[in-house]
Amino acid sequence: MVVAASALQPDAQENLGRCLGEFWRGLIDVIKGDRPRGVEIPLRGQQDYILGRAEATQAILPDIDLNRYGAHEKGVSRLHCHLRYEGDSLMVVDLGSANGTFLNGTRLTPERPMPLSENDTISLGSLKVQVFRKV
């Protein structure tokens, strides 16, 4: 998994996280065979993140590359959705993805931000990401 590198030291990242409100994290549920496996991706140190799958010829790469989790096979677009902080809220925005972004089973309208709540599930194609706060 590739998470965009931050030039900030861990203490500076934590201070920035406090400025953004509570820490947010994403949990990607990956199914291997018949058993789910959780992988935590911290959402700290940046104001916004693009989720998708990276290809060598892309001019713009996603901040979080989901290729390791079978992104192509599960219908994840190269630039699928955008997570961003607005005040103390975390928002999700579909970026016009081919297979859609779903919030708790409801398809999002492209380019329309929707607020995320504790334990919400975002589906990028058939790859699911659960959002939770770390207190």
Side-chain angles (χ1 to χ4, degrees):
M1 169 180 51
V2 176
V3 177
S6 171
L8 298 175
Q9 297 298 319
D11 288 345
Q13 288 180 0
E14 189 168 317
N15 289 336
L16 177 61
R18 285 193 186 103
C19 293
L20 296 172
E22 292 183 64
F23 292 144
W24 277 93
R25 289 192 190 195
L27 173 67
I28 295 178
D29 291 325
V30 180
I31 304 298
K32 278 198 143 184
D34 61 347
R35 297 171 50 173
R37 175 174 65 109
V39 179
E40 290 186 10
I41 301 173
L43 299 178
R44 293 188 293 201
Q46 290 182 211
Q47 190 69 24
D48 59 324
Y49 302 83
I50 294 177
L51 281 67
R53 59 182 174 83
E55 299 286 333
T57 58
Q58 272 178 258
I60 300 172
L61 296 173
D63 298 300
I64 299 175
D65 180 2
L66 301 171
N67 273 322
R68 173 180 278 178
Y69 307 105
H72 188 268
E73 297 80 12
K74 293 182 179 184
V76 176
S77 294
R78 290 182 184 107
L79 302 176
H80 197 103
C81 73
H82 185 197
L83 298 179
R84 70 173 182 234
Y85 292 102
E86 288 186 9
D88 63 352
S89 297
L90 184 63
M91 309 294 280
V92 61
V93 181
D94 179 73
L95 296 175
S97 60
N99 294 307
T101 302
F102 296 78
L103 178 56
N104 298 322
T106 302
R107 188 177 188 128
L108 299 180
T109 302
E111 304 301 329
R112 182 179 293 169
M114 294 296 293
L116 294 171
S117 297
E118 181 90 14
N119 295 316
D120 276 350
T121 299
I122 305 168
S123 299
L124 295 80
S126 63
L127 181 70
K128 295 186 187 226
V129 177
Q130 185 176 16
V131 177
F132 65 96
R133 287 183 193 247
K134 177 184 177 189
V135 291

